[in-house]
Amino acid sequence: MPALPELSFPDGLIFFSGGGGEEGAAFADALLSLFILFVAAKIGEEVFRRINQPGVIGELIGGFIVGPFALGLADVTITAEVFAELGVVILLFTVGLEVRIDDLIKVGPMAIAVGTIGFILPIIAGVGIGLAIGEDILPAALIGLALAATSIGITSRVLAEMGMLDRAFARVILGAAIVDDILALLAIGLLSGFAEGDLGVDTILTLVAGLAFVGIGLALAPLGRRLPRKIFVWPKFADTPVVPVFIIMFAGALLAQAVGLAAIIGAFVVGLIIAETPVREEVEHGFRSLLGIFAPFFFAVTGANIDMSALLNPELLIIVLVLAVMGVLTKLVGGIAGAWKLGKWNSIVVGMGMSPRGEVGIVVSALGLSLGLISGEIYAVLLAAVILTTLVAPVMLQWAIPRAPRDERHHGGEAGAA
Amino acid sequence: MPALPELSFPDGLIFFSGGGGEEGAAFADALLSLFILFVAAKIGEEVFRRINQPGVIGELIGGFIVGPFALGLADVTITAEVFAELGVVILLFTVGLEVRIDDLIKVGPMAIAVGTIGFILPIIAGVGIGLAIGEDILPAALIGLALAATSIGITSRVLAEMGMLDRAFARVILGAAIVDDILALLAIGLLSGFAEGDLGVDTILTLVAGLAFVGIGLALAPLGRRLPRKIFVWPKFADTPVVPVFIIMFAGALLAQAVGLAAIIGAFVVGLIIAETPVREEVEHGFRSLLGIFAPFFFAVTGANIDMSALLNPELLIIVLVLAVMGVLTKLVGGIAGAWKLGKWNSIVVGMGMSPRGEVGIVVSALGLSLGLISGEIYAVLLAAVILTTLVAPVMLQWAIPRAPRDERHHGGEAGAA
């Protein structure tokens, strides 16, 4: 055996490695790759936040830089994929945790209008562009779907950083982002069914299962208010509700997969239910470090899977720009049309605030790649477009918000509820 | 493809699975195995805590039950091994976090006496038993070493559950457990060097590196007091010190491996240093959920690797009992001899409190197995003996503590400092 690799990872000192050899090497690679991906994600986040850009984009680019399509320092091992999957599961769980059924109902009609218009228009635009570049209808639909859902995570982080969470437009943006998230999650189930060639009963079953899953979740959520805290801490192993809730979240994710849905739908619905229980704050608090450790792997692994060399092709670069511009415009139209009652500038702000696509767009793109619906080139194109819609949002908002009057008619009085 | 596995894990809905196939199946297996191991560990802990036994033993047995040597519901995948490794790294980090250099110095001489005598005697006993059953000197030394270190985790949990952390004997037990932990960590490095056949310079280098590593850690630790909190939260990505400290801990573990030590030594030393900084409490708090999610994998995976069928052999069962009895007696002698100044019954309590072996004994056994020093049979024997020394401790303490007078001479006045 060569001396240097021995020195940097002596087989015998790695427990569980089965005594070194091939499995020991795979274990050492998995552990080291995790560390490199994590550090790269954090450095990327740091750089982006220092230039006032969303950290998730930095995590993505950090992962790309150390990944196999660039420096090749980190492998995307199955272990890294499991960390990434748990990362997106925990992320969507915590998003569900932030949603209040009642708040949703309060801004309901306007949020539904903004969310639905802003969901349908990007799909139409995406399908049009997809067909125009010669894709079939399913890949074209996937391109549209990748541009359809606003990132509730990114949007809320940007609004919080600007200190705007108490404005009426912020509540509408958050509500609409939830609406298009739910629409997107259902559409993902539908599209997966179609893509697997089950155009008949199975697809309908998946759709019904998806609706039933989300429907039952929304129906059960208010019942959560009646659950006493002791239900979550009755196990002796549970000093806090974190471990029991982690098990429930994990089970929800696996259950969603078992009925043919994406794992994140299950985690999101569990989050919605836990949000209504008395343990919400404890869980939110306890999950903060889990989110901090696991979520970066989702973005870093996603970035590591991007073949950016596709973007050196000027034709593809034009498609990126067209997709990004259409992505911003369609959300703007959705905001203005759906939230017109808030006044011109406030509705423009709503539209701009809906612009950042993030985790759902990335998830849809990754799904399309794993289903074989889209090529690695289109995957890179979609992620680049998603990144652009996210990068322009803070700039647009900084320009438009000072123009939006604080007097926000019948919605202005509720400031602070968001 | 068969319909049922498809239904329970549709390839296309698993992101990052590379479109299903062999890698998708490995990914699905890794994710599901993690869930089963975790739930089994928690059910095991629940059962054991309900019968007033340490939860870690339950986690171990839970892992065994679902593991490949029993029901076979969960595979010990590389991903599970990585979770287990991070679990023991985080565990030893948090143990380091609980150690105060000053407290250590206060009960120093007595703790060093108890720790050292209680470290050497079990090794002598283990070597004797090992040689008596026909093992070579290195495997015999490993058997002794597995019985040498008290589990600081288990001991402190037992004392806390009995409300005894404010007694002088508790401080001596904790101090002595730290001393034998450090001795054990150094001995692990030495033994690994010997076992890898490097009886010359490399072994000495490993020992020197180990001493230097722990020495530098102890020397640097007091300097931690001068580190302001802002050093840990200057990155924009760090709202709390948890993520930066996680990176430092992970780096320390990898660095220890790189110089030929066990990863846990690095994590322990980083914990010692962070313990002296102003962010200790924040880190302790933030790492609670990480410990709760990762540590069970260490015990569950360890349990899943035990081939209990070895214990059906009456000869091996006798060896287990002999090892366990000698394990308890040697610690008792160490306690009485080292802490005699506390009075007869208090020193007996110290000796009994040193009885539980836990993570270090398990780590040493796992290391011996991975180094090929011991067979699967001896591995099972050692773990069974470790489990027995842990199970008898609470029973013995409940009997002896009421006999130990509260008036603890010159050490009694410091109650509450532990």
Side-chain angles (χ1 to χ4, degrees):
Chain A
M1 274 183 275
L4 270 175
E6 271 288 311
L7 186 71
S8 58
F9 264 106
D11 288 343
L13 285 169
I14 297 160
F15 312 128
F16 320 117
S17 69
E22 205 177 309
E23 206 194 326
F27 173 87
D29 179 44
L31 201 60
L32 193 60
S33 290
L34 279 187
F35 181 70
I36 293 170
L37 283 169
F38 191 81
V39 171
K42 290 294 112 183
I43 293 174
E45 179 183 356
E46 189 64 19
V47 171
F48 270 68
R49 289 184 67 165
R50 296 234 171 238
I51 56 171
N52 291 318
Q53 293 300 325
V56 282
I57 307 292
E59 293 185 333
L60 221 139
I61 291 172
F64 165 74
I65 289 172
V66 296
F69 290 110
L71 299 183
L73 297 175
D75 287 330
V76 180
T77 62
I78 287 176
T79 301
E81 290 171 351
V82 168
F83 271 82
E85 176 84 14
L86 283 175
V88 71
V89 158
I90 292 172
L91 180 65
L92 270 278
F93 167 76
T94 55
V95 168
L97 213 54
E98 307 247 320
V99 177
R100 238 18 114 268
I101 302 287
D102 287 350
D103 286 357
L104 221 54
I105 291 166
K106 226 180 273 169
V107 290
M110 194 177 279
I112 289 172
V114 172
T116 309
I117 301 171
F119 181 80
I120 293 169
L121 290 183
I123 290 185
I124 294 172
V127 168
I129 295 168
L131 294 176
I133 62 173
E135 298 283 344
D136 283 338
I137 180 71
L138 275 182
L142 187 123
I143 291 170
L145 188 53
L147 290 176
T150 294
S151 162
I152 186 172
I154 291 173
T155 304
S156 51
R157 217 202 271 179
V158 169
L159 290 171
E161 278 171 15
M162 296 182 71
M164 291 293 154
L165 276 174
D166 63 336
R167 299 285 292 268
F169 62 70
R171 286 201 301 282
V172 175
I173 290 171
L174 290 176
I178 292 157
V179 169
D180 72 19
D181 255 18
I182 292 173
L183 291 175
L185 294 177
L186 292 177
I188 289 170
L190 189 65
L191 193 71
S192 304
F194 273 113
E196 294 194 325
D198 312 321
L199 294 161
V201 181
D202 277 9
T203 305
I204 294 166
L205 278 181
T206 300
L207 186 63
V208 170
L211 279 167
F213 206 92
V214 176
I216 291 171
L218 290 173
L220 284 181
L223 296 178
R225 286 167 215 166
R226 294 198 204 154
L227 294 178
R229 179 176 182 277
K230 65 169 185 265
I231 290 236
F232 295 95
V233 291
W234 72 258
K236 288 258 182 192
F237 66 73
D239 301 324
T240 74
V242 170
V243 169
V245 168
F246 179 82
I247 292 175
I248 297 168
M249 176 203 74
F250 206 151
L254 291 176
L255 186 66
Q257 278 191 336
V259 300
L261 295 168
I264 49 169
I265 301 185
F268 179 73
V269 169
V270 171
L272 281 179
I273 296 171
I274 299 294
E276 300 293 324
T277 68
V279 296
R280 181 180 67 83
E281 280 186 29
E282 266 178 288
V283 170
E284 216 168 62
H285 192 77
F287 267 69
R288 212 165 286 159
S289 20
L290 295 178
L291 187 68
I293 298 306
F294 280 101
F297 288 106
F298 173 66
F299 296 104
V301 165
T302 302
N305 281 333
I306 308 176
D307 183 359
M308 291 262 193
S309 67
L311 300 184
L312 296 177
N313 180 336
E315 270 179 49
L316 293 181
L317 202 57
I318 290 172
I319 303 175
V320 168
L321 292 175
V322 171
L323 281 171
V325 169
M326 288 308 291
V328 172
L329 285 181
T330 49
K331 286 287 179 186
L332 203 55
V333 172
I336 294 170
W340 185 251
K341 278 190 205 160
L342 287 182
K344 188 177 85 172
W345 280 104
N346 276 294
S347 71
I348 289 174
V349 168
V350 168
M352 288 172 172
M354 296 295 289
S355 177
R357 318 301 203 279
E359 52 280 1
V360 177
I362 293 167
V363 164
V364 169
S365 309
L367 181 64
L369 186 67
S370 81
L371 285 171
L373 273 181
I374 56 171
S375 62
E377 280 185 353
I378 296 292
Y379 177 67
V381 162
L382 277 176
L383 287 181
V386 163
I387 290 171
L388 279 182
T389 60
T390 309
L391 290 177
V392 296
V395 182
M396 294 193 301
L397 285 172
Q398 270 157 11
W399 175 77
I401 285 178
R403 289 168 170 78
R406 265 219 170 259
D407 168 34
E408 286 154 335
R409 307 194 191 166
H410 42 280
H411 286 272
E414 292 159 29
Chain B
M1 275 183 275
L4 270 175
E6 272 286 313
L7 187 70
S8 57
F9 266 105
D11 287 343
L13 286 169
I14 298 162
F15 313 128
F16 320 115
S17 71
E22 206 177 309
E23 205 193 326
F27 173 86
D29 179 42
L31 200 62
L32 194 59
S33 290
L34 281 186
F35 181 70
I36 293 171
L37 284 169
F38 191 81
V39 171
K42 289 294 114 183
I43 293 174
E45 180 183 355
E46 188 65 18
V47 170
F48 269 68
R49 289 184 67 162
R50 294 233 172 242
I51 56 173
N52 290 319
Q53 294 299 326
V56 281
I57 306 292
E59 293 184 334
L60 221 139
I61 291 173
F64 166 73
I65 289 173
V66 296
F69 290 110
L71 299 182
L73 296 174
D75 287 329
V76 180
T77 62
I78 287 177
T79 301
E81 289 171 351
V82 168
F83 271 82
E85 176 83 14
L86 283 176
V88 70
V89 160
I90 292 172
L91 180 65
L92 271 277
F93 168 75
T94 55
V95 169
L97 212 54
E98 307 249 320
V99 175
R100 237 20 112 269
I101 302 285
D102 287 350
D103 286 358
L104 221 53
I105 292 165
K106 224 179 277 168
V107 290
M110 194 178 278
I112 289 173
V114 172
T116 309
I117 302 171
F119 181 80
I120 293 169
L121 290 184
I123 290 184
I124 294 174
V127 168
I129 296 169
L131 294 177
I133 61 172
E135 298 284 344
D136 283 337
I137 180 71
L138 274 182
L142 188 122
I143 291 170
L145 188 53
L147 289 177
T150 294
S151 162
I152 186 173
I154 290 173
T155 304
S156 51
R157 214 200 274 180
V158 168
L159 290 172
E161 278 170 15
M162 294 181 73
M164 292 292 152
L165 277 174
D166 62 336
R167 301 285 291 268
F169 62 70
R171 287 202 300 283
V172 175
I173 291 171
L174 290 175
I178 293 157
V179 169
D180 71 18
D181 255 18
I182 292 173
L183 292 175
L185 295 176
L186 292 177
I188 290 170
L190 188 65
L191 192 71
S192 305
F194 274 113
E196 292 193 326
D198 311 322
L199 293 163
V201 180
D202 277 10
T203 304
I204 294 164
L205 277 181
T206 300
L207 186 62
V208 170
L211 278 168
F213 206 93
V214 175
I216 291 171
L218 289 172
L220 283 180
L223 295 178
R225 284 167 214 164
R226 294 198 206 153
L227 294 177
R229 180 176 181 279
K230 65 168 182 268
I231 290 233
F232 295 95
V233 293
W234 73 258
K236 288 258 183 193
F237 66 72
D239 302 323
T240 74
V242 170
V243 169
V245 168
F246 179 82
I247 291 174
I248 297 168
M249 176 202 74
F250 206 150
L254 292 175
L255 186 66
Q257 278 191 335
V259 300
L261 295 169
I264 50 169
I265 300 185
F268 179 73
V269 168
V270 171
L272 281 179
I273 297 170
I274 299 293
E276 299 293 322
T277 68
V279 296
R280 181 181 66 83
E281 278 186 30
E282 265 179 287
V283 169
E284 216 167 61
H285 192 78
F287 267 69
R288 212 164 286 160
S289 21
L290 295 178
L291 188 67
I293 299 306
F294 280 100
F297 287 107
F298 172 66
F299 296 103
V301 165
T302 302
N305 281 332
I306 308 177
D307 184 359
M308 291 260 194
S309 67
L311 301 185
L312 296 176
N313 180 335
E315 270 178 49
L316 294 181
L317 202 56
I318 289 171
I319 302 174
V320 169
L321 292 175
V322 171
L323 282 172
V325 169
M326 288 307 292
V328 173
L329 286 181
T330 49
K331 285 289 179 185
L332 202 54
V333 172
I336 294 170
W340 186 250
K341 279 190 207 157
L342 286 183
K344 187 177 87 172
W345 281 102
N346 276 294
S347 69
I348 289 174
V349 168
V350 168
M352 288 173 173
M354 296 295 288
S355 178
R357 317 302 202 280
E359 52 279 0
V360 178
I362 293 167
V363 164
V364 169
S365 310
L367 181 62
L369 187 66
S370 81
L371 285 172
L373 273 183
I374 55 171
S375 62
E377 278 184 355
I378 297 293
Y379 177 67
V381 162
L382 278 176
L383 288 180
V386 163
I387 291 171
L388 279 182
T389 59
T390 310
L391 290 177
V392 296
V395 181
M396 293 192 301
L397 286 172
Q398 269 157 12
W399 174 77
I401 286 178
R403 288 168 172 76
R406 265 220 170 257
D407 169 33
E408 286 152 338
R409 308 191 191 167
H410 41 283
H411 286 270
E414 292 159 29

